[in-house]
Amino acid sequence: MIRKVEPADGHHPRRRGWLGRRHPRPGSRGTATFDLIVRSADADTAAADTPDTVVCCTSGAPQITHALLTDIQPGDLLRVTGVLVQPQAPGEAARLTVHGLEVLDTALIPVYWYPGLLEVAEW
């Protein structure tokens, strides 16, 4: 399993969060997309009902795409680096183009799936 892939220049912002409840999905032209659930930076002092932020992520790097589609599962704790684009309208999710990926911790319960399952059931 791939544990860490870093960008060449190392100057991208970092985000830490959990992989959303859906498996990463293959995209066009060798990309993979996934949702990263990010907690507030001051999660210890934030109110209990403070919502998490969902960041829509995409990567076209071959090593990262392969890891996302074969090794990483919902609930894994990830650190990603990349280029963050703020949403253009309120209520839309921010978008992150991922250039680096590190698995900090794995989910406690493995989730078994096959690619056709995403077409059969909406999680």
Side-chain angles (χ1 to χ4, degrees), residues 33-46:
T33 61
F34 63 99
D35 292 335
L36 188 70
I37 311 301
V38 180
R39 292 254 162 94
S40 171
D42 58 346
D44 294 333
T45 59

Side-chain angles (χ1 to χ4, degrees), residues 24-105:
R25 297 158 306 282
S28 61
R29 298 182 304 272
T31 63
T33 61
F34 63 99
D35 292 335
L36 188 70
I37 311 301
V38 180
R39 292 254 162 94
S40 171
D42 58 346
D44 294 333
T45 59
D49 60 348
T50 302
D52 295 334
T53 302
V54 177
V55 179
C56 298
C57 301
T58 303
S59 182
Q63 286 182 308
I64 295 173
T65 299
H66 177 75
L68 287 167
L69 297 176
T70 60
D71 297 332
I72 297 173
Q73 65 178 358
D76 285 354
L77 179 61
L78 308 175
R79 178 181 294 136
V80 296
T81 57
V83 178
L84 183 64
V85 178
Q86 295 298 325
Q88 296 197 5
E92 289 183 359
R95 300 203 60 81
L96 180 71
T97 302
V98 177
H99 298 286
L101 171 75
E102 181 179 3
V103 178
L104 300 175
D105 198 7

Side-chain angles (χ1 to χ4, degrees), residues 112-123:
Y112 299 103
W113 73 290
Y114 63 95
L117 184 62
L118 293 177
E119 299 166 2
V120 176
E122 182 64 35
W123 299 39

